Amino acid sequence: MKTYLCDTMDVKYILVVIIIITFIVNIVSLFYLNSQIASLSSSYNTLVNNYNTLRTYYQNLNSNYTTLYSSYSNLVNSYNSLSSQYAKLSSEYNTLMAKYDNLTAKYNTLSQNYTILSGQLALTMGTMTVQSFYIYLAQVNTQGMESLLVGPLASYFEITSPPGNGTIIASPANSSDALPLIGSKLSQFFNYLSVKTEVKELVITPLENYVLGEGLVSFNDQYANGTIVTNYALITVVAQEINLSTWQVVYVKINNALTQSQYNTLVTLFNLIQALESKNIGQLQSILVGPYQSYVYIARGPCAGNYSGLDVPNVFIDTIISKDVSSLQFELYYFNITPLNPTTSLVDMYGVLKITLSNGSTYTSYTDLRTTVELEPNGVPQVVALNIINDLTQQQVVSALPK
């Protein structure tokens, strides 16, 4: 019994200890659980806050996305519209560009034609001014000739021999004195009972901003007693451009010391040019072949060389001109005559020589037809030297011209 009681007491103690331990464990567990619950609650609250923040972000982002998508849709529509407009504009641009190119080409052509036409008009006005001087000359209209010298440029006027011989330089500063003096000189030159003027040959050459005229003129002058004499002159006139429609004669030289034989010499040389151009063999022989031995010199080209004696009629005339040359043209710019003695003269005729051979070859060159002409015993001029100096430059020819 005693042993049973002891055992019972031990069990009670053990139970108490177990209860106490269990209680302590429960207390500890309770505190632990409370701690976990508090931590979990805090985490939950944090999570809720984060969730709410994220939801707010999501809502904002969704709103921004919606706005962006709307803007994107508008942009796409605008792009499509702009692309359509661009395609239309590009097509219109290409059409307009083609029209512009076409118009530009027409403008350039028109501008070139205008420049050419303006230049031609200006030179035509200059040519008409020079022609007017010779017309007034033929009419013995001294006031008309004098009026062409009026202008802002200085003018050179010369008559080489009596009557009226002298040199006058007129300028805007002295025009009130110089121009009446020129008129007086012209009046002296034409101081006859009657004057009949014949312009035998007239060469007018437009050269950039000036025009050159060269006239071979004869005058049948009648004195008061009824006597009629024939006088000859080589008259050079230069007109210079002031503006498009206005030209002024700035140079006049009346070389009235020309003799009848010199006059006939120049007429013969114009006939020579015509005979060369028309391939008039008979006239060429009559001018180049005579009592004096003659020669022909050609400076350049397939026919270059010296031809003298019988080679003049046989080779130069009957072969080169008659057969080898298909066509020949000499555009005369200017001519002058230099007497060497009473029966011999040297003549230079400057211009452009154009030759086409029978094989089709063409040659164009600035040329001086330099001739020596001697009077035959019967007074007929014979060309004893024909120098075809066809190797000149434009500058060499232009520099020989009066300005």
Side-chain angles (χ1 to χ4, degrees), residues 241-276:
E241 182 181 9
I242 297 173
N243 54 51
L244 182 63
S245 60
T246 306
W247 288 65
Q248 178 189 337
V249 172
V250 296
Y251 181 94
V252 176
K253 182 177 181 180
I254 301 176
N255 177 11
N256 57 335
L258 206 65
T259 65
Q260 182 178 8
S261 62
Q262 292 167 357
Y263 176 86
N264 291 336
T265 291
L266 291 173
V267 172
T268 298
L269 292 178
F270 277 98
N271 292 337
L272 172 65
I273 292 174
Q274 293 175 357
L276 287 169

Side-chain angles (χ1 to χ4, degrees), residues 33-43:
L33 287 175
N34 283 336
S35 173
Q36 290 296 315
I37 290 171
S39 175
L40 184 61
S41 177
S42 175
S43 297

Side-chain angles (χ1 to χ4, degrees), residues 287-301:
I287 294 173
L288 291 168
V289 180
Y292 308 117
Q293 180 169 316
S294 60
Y295 78 89
V296 176
Y297 166 73
I298 303 174
R300 192 184 71 172

Side-chain angles (χ1 to χ4, degrees), residues 188-208:
Q188 293 174 42
F189 181 76
F190 291 111
N191 188 23
Y192 298 94
L193 182 64
S194 68
V195 178
K196 292 182 180 179
T197 304
E198 179 189 8
V199 181
K200 180 65 176 178
E201 299 290 346
L202 178 60
V203 178
I204 296 180
T205 306
L207 295 163
E208 295 183 358

Side-chain angles (χ1 to χ4, degrees), residues 19-77:
I19 291 171
I20 291 171
I21 293 171
T22 302
F23 179 77
I24 292 171
V25 169
N26 286 336
I27 291 297
V28 172
S29 297
L30 181 62
F31 279 107
Y32 174 75
L33 287 175
N34 283 336
S35 173
Q36 290 296 315
I37 290 171
S39 175
L40 184 61
S41 177
S42 175
S43 297
Y44 173 77
N45 290 333
T46 300
L47 183 62
V48 168
N49 291 333
N50 291 340
Y51 171 78
N52 290 333
T53 301
L54 185 62
R55 180 180 177 83
T56 300
Y57 288 161
Y58 169 77
Q59 289 173 344
N60 291 336
L61 184 61
N62 186 61
S63 175
N64 291 338
Y65 169 78
T66 302
T67 302
L68 182 62
Y69 184 80
S70 176
S71 298
Y72 169 77
S73 298
N74 292 334
L75 183 62
V76 168
N77 293 333

Side-chain angles (χ1 to χ4, degrees), residues 8-9 14 16 44 89 97 126 166 182 198 248 275 318 337 357 402:
T8 303
M9 288 298 291
I14 293 171
V16 171
Y44 173 77
L89 184 62
M97 192 65 185
I182 291 174
E198 179 189 8
Q248 178 189 337
D318 290 342
I337 183 169
L357 300 181

